[in-house]
Amino acid sequence: MEGVSAASAEDSESLLCIINTCTVTQKAEQKARRLIRLILKKCPCAALIVTGCYAQLAGKEIEAIDKRICVIGGQIKSRLSLIPDMLIKSKTEKWNPADFSDSVKTMVASKPAAKPGFPEESFKLSTSAFVSHSRASLKIQDGCNCNCSYCAIHIARGHSVSLDVQSAIERVQELEAKGHDEVVLTTVNIGQYKGAYKDGFCDFPEMLQLLLLNTKHIKFRISSLYPEIVTEKFCRVISDERVQPHFHISVQSGSNKILSLMNRQYKAVDVENACRMLRKAKSNPFIACDIITGFPGEKDEDFNQTMELCRACDFAWVHAFPYSERPGTAAAVMKEKVPQYVSGERAKEITDWAIAQKIKYVEAFKGQEMTAVLETARRPAAISANANSRVIYHAVTDNFIHCEIISNGKASENHAVSLKIKDVLYERIKKGGDIEASAEFL
Ligand code: SF4
C-alpha cells in the first residue's frame, strides 16, 4: 500500500501490513505511532507486524494499542522470513487478524533470541531485488559497541555484527550480474566492521579492497563515516575511481567539551583532518555531516565552535537536528538542559548556512559532464495519454547531486547515464526538496 494518508480510501483487502520503525528521535517514534493508528483505521482487516528499533524498545506499549498488532523487535527482525509460511498455513478464508497476530506473538515467544543483545541473523533479509528502492544497497554491519550518551540506537540494535567477506563479495557480484551500476554499503558503525575471511578477519578497508578486486564495474557508495575511520589505509582504498566521491560524516558537535559529554571518541581537529584526507583522496567530493544542536550543557560558545568547524571543513551539506531526549540514555539525566527553542534556532542557523553551501557546491558543477545513476522515471499524469509524452527522470550523480532530466529518452532506471548539469534549482534547494539541479542526457 503506497502513500497511505488520512485521505486514502478504506482498504479491506490488505490482510497484513509490516511497519518498520525508528527510535532516533521522539519525532520518529511519534510518526511511527501515527502511522500505526492510520493503518489500523484504513485497513480494518489487516494484522500489523511492527518491527525495527522503536518496536525493540517499546514492544509492550505498541502491542497495547490494538489486538491486531504484534511486535517483532528489531534484533529479531530476520524472523519476518517466517511470515510467508505462517500466512500460507493460516486459513485466509476465515481470516482473523487478531488470531494471526497471536500466532506471531507465539512464534516470537517460543524461541528465545539466539544470542541476547546481538542482532539475530542480521543479514538474512538481504535482497538483490530492489522494487521501490532503485539504488541497490547491501547491509554489511549492524549493531554498535559504542555508548554515545544520547543514543538509543545501540541499545535497540545490540552489539556489532558483520557480514562475512565472502558473502559480501557474492552478493555484490550478484548485483553486478543483474545489471546494477552502484551499490550502497550500509552500516550502523562502519568502524566496527570485522568480517570473517579465510582464517581471520577483515576491517572495512580490507573488505572494500576485496570487493573491488572481485567485481568489474559496479561502483560503491559508503553510507556514513565516523572521523576515526578515515586513515591512510582507508584513503588508499577509496581513491579507487569505483568508490563514489560522496561521504557523510557523523560529527554531532564542534565543541570538544560537548563531544566528550556525548562520549564520542574523537575531537574537532580529527574531523578537520578527516575532511582534508578525503579531499586528497578524491577530487571535490560531496562531504556532508550530521550535527546535533542543544545537547545538554551546550553554551553559545560551544555552538559557535560547531559553526566554526563546519566552515573550516567546508561541508557541502549539514543535516542539523535539535537534540531529542531518549529515555534510558545517559544524556537523558544530564543537567543543564538547553531550551527547545534555542536548539531549534541553532539547528536553523546551521541549516541556513548549509543551504548556501549546497548551492555553492552544485554551482561548481554547472555545465559539467558527469555520470549518474537513474533512480526513477515518471510520466507527468496530465499528459500520460500522449504516446510521445515526456518522461521526468531523477538521477543521482557520482557526487550525490540530485538532478531532474525531462526527456523523451528511453533510459532505464538503476543504470548509469552521462549527463550535463544545466541549472541549479535554487528554490528547490532552499525548500529542502529532493532535486537540486536540472540536467540533460548526453
Ligand atoms: S556510534 Fe554512537 S551514535 Fe552511532 S550507533 Fe554507536 S552509540 Fe549510537
Side-chain angles (χ1 to χ4, degrees):
M1 4 179 352
E2 215 170 283
V4 63
S5 72
S8 308
E10 190 174 289
D11 165 10
S12 23
E13 285 182 2
S14 293
L15 300 185
L16 180 66
C17 297
I18 300 175
I19 302 175
N20 196 18
T21 60
C22 171
T23 194
V24 73
T25 57
Q26 288 168 11
K27 253 195 195 157
E29 294 182 355
Q30 273 164 14
K31 214 166 138 187
R33 286 193 297 272
R34 263 206 305 276
L35 184 63
I36 290 167
R37 292 208 164 87
L38 183 66
I39 291 182
L40 282 170
K41 195 167 154 205
K42 296 290 172 184
C43 305
C45 301
L48 270 68
I49 298 179
V50 184
T51 187
C53 290
Y54 176 44
Q56 175 71 33
L57 296 182
K60 294 252 171 312
E61 194 185 304
I62 294 169
E63 283 185 342
I65 297 175
D66 193 279
K67 54 184 186 314
R68 285 193 278 140
I69 299 176
C70 53
V71 161
I72 298 186
Q75 286 182 19
I76 55 165
K77 196 195 264 182
S78 59
R79 292 193 199 177
L80 285 172
S81 63
L82 304 173
I83 299 299
D85 267 355
M86 290 178 71
L87 266 180
I88 290 165
K89 282 183 197 139
S90 71
K91 297 190 173 74
T92 45
E93 69 276 11
K94 283 190 194 157
W95 177 253
N96 180 330
D99 285 353
F100 187 76
S101 267
D102 281 343
S103 62
V104 175
K105 286 175 195 162
T106 307
M107 176 273 285
V108 169
S110 66
K111 194 174 142 204
K115 210 172 161 196
F118 284 81
E120 183 179 282
E121 297 190 276
S122 203
F123 309 103
K124 192 175 176 176
L125 295 179
S126 274
T127 176
S128 58
F130 294 85
V131 184
S132 56
H133 285 273
S134 48
R135 218 171 326 142
S137 64
L138 177 66
K139 178 161 84 170
I140 54 162
Q141 187 272 341
D142 198 0
C144 181
N145 300 334
C146 290
N147 190 16
C148 298
S149 61
Y150 57 84
C151 173
I153 307 282
H154 69 284
I155 307 171
R157 297 258 181 156
H159 296 292
S160 175
V161 291
S162 302
L163 179 66
D164 69 276
V165 176
Q166 193 52 40
S167 299
I169 291 172
E170 284 165 16
R171 289 184 188 179
V172 177
Q173 284 175 335
E174 193 184 340
L175 291 170
E176 188 171 65
K178 282 192 165 180
H180 286 277
D181 286 300
E182 180 182 308
V183 58
V184 185
L185 300 176
T186 71
T187 54
V188 171
N189 187 329
I190 193 172
Q192 288 171 8
Y193 179 84
K194 192 176 174 204
Y197 185 61
K198 297 188 175 165
D199 294 332
F201 291 92
C202 288
D203 61 12
F204 179 78
E206 290 160 353
M207 192 263 324
L208 182 55
Q209 184 69 67
L210 284 163
L211 290 181
L212 287 162
L213 282 172
N214 286 283
T215 52
K216 293 188 183 70
H217 59 76
I218 195 163
K219 292 180 177 177
F220 296 90
R221 198 177 290 272
I222 299 168
S223 65
S224 69
L225 293 179
Y226 289 78
E228 312 93 296
I229 194 187
V230 185
T231 58
E232 294 291 343
K233 179 176 164 185
F234 175 85
C235 288
R236 259 197 313 279
V237 180
I238 60 143
S239 63
D240 189 294
E241 61 178 20
R242 283 204 281 136
V243 179
Q244 300 290 42
H246 162 216
F247 307 99
H248 191 100
I249 310 179
S250 180
V251 171
Q252 314 308 7
S253 176
S255 154
N256 288 338
K257 179 192 96 186
I258 297 297
L259 287 172
S260 161
L261 285 170
M262 288 176 164
N263 203 19
R264 306 286 287 178
Q265 304 305 312
Y266 53 87
K267 301 225 176 323
V269 68
D270 300 321
V271 179
E272 275 192 70
N273 285 339
C275 291
R276 199 170 302 120
M277 288 167 80
L278 291 172
R279 289 201 169 91
K280 222 165 125 191
K282 307 298 273 184
S283 163
N284 202 358
F286 184 96
I287 307 181
C289 79
D290 284 330
I291 294 288
I292 297 173
T293 57
F295 187 80
E298 186 188 72
K299 306 262 188 270
D300 280 348
E301 70 216 48
D302 298 304
F303 176 66
N304 291 341
Q305 285 168 16
T306 300
M307 284 300 309
E308 270 166 38
L309 180 67
C310 289
R311 285 191 201 99
C313 293
D314 198 19
F315 290 119
W317 177 244
V318 180
H319 179 211
F321 51 100
Y323 168 69
S324 175
E325 192 170 286
R326 310 287 54 230
T329 59
V333 291
M334 282 182 185
K335 307 267 183 296
E336 291 195 79
K337 307 269 188 243
V338 174
Q340 270 190 352
Y341 79 92
V342 176
S343 317
E345 278 171 5
R346 288 176 183 167
K348 184 174 180 313
E349 188 176 334
I350 299 193
T351 304
D352 288 347
W353 177 82
I355 287 171
Q357 284 292 105
K358 190 184 267 184
I359 288 173
K360 183 177 89 174
Y361 185 80
V362 179
E363 275 175 341
F365 292 91
K366 199 172 156 183
Q368 282 199 28
E369 297 178 7
M370 314 182 76
T371 47
V373 169
L374 283 182
E375 291 232 317
T376 55
R378 66 182 170 87
R379 277 175 202 281
I383 53 172
S384 60
N386 182 347
N388 295 320
S389 66
R390 301 199 139 203
V391 178
I392 301 178
Y393 293 99
H394 175 185
V396 179
T397 64
D398 290 350
N399 58 346
F400 211 55
I401 298 176
H402 292 252
C403 302
E404 185 172 87
I405 305 154
I406 302 178
S407 154
N408 283 330
K410 291 197 173 70
S412 53
E413 290 165 48
N414 235 325
H415 288 289
V417 289
S418 294
L419 56 78
K420 183 157 134 190
I421 295 201
K422 289 198 304 188
D423 271 312
V424 182
L425 300 177
Y426 295 94
E427 289 312 311
R428 286 169 82 166
I429 294 177
K430 285 180 193 160
K431 283 185 186 145
D434 62 347
I435 300 291
E436 291 142 356
S438 62
E440 61 192 8
F441 288 129
L442 290 174

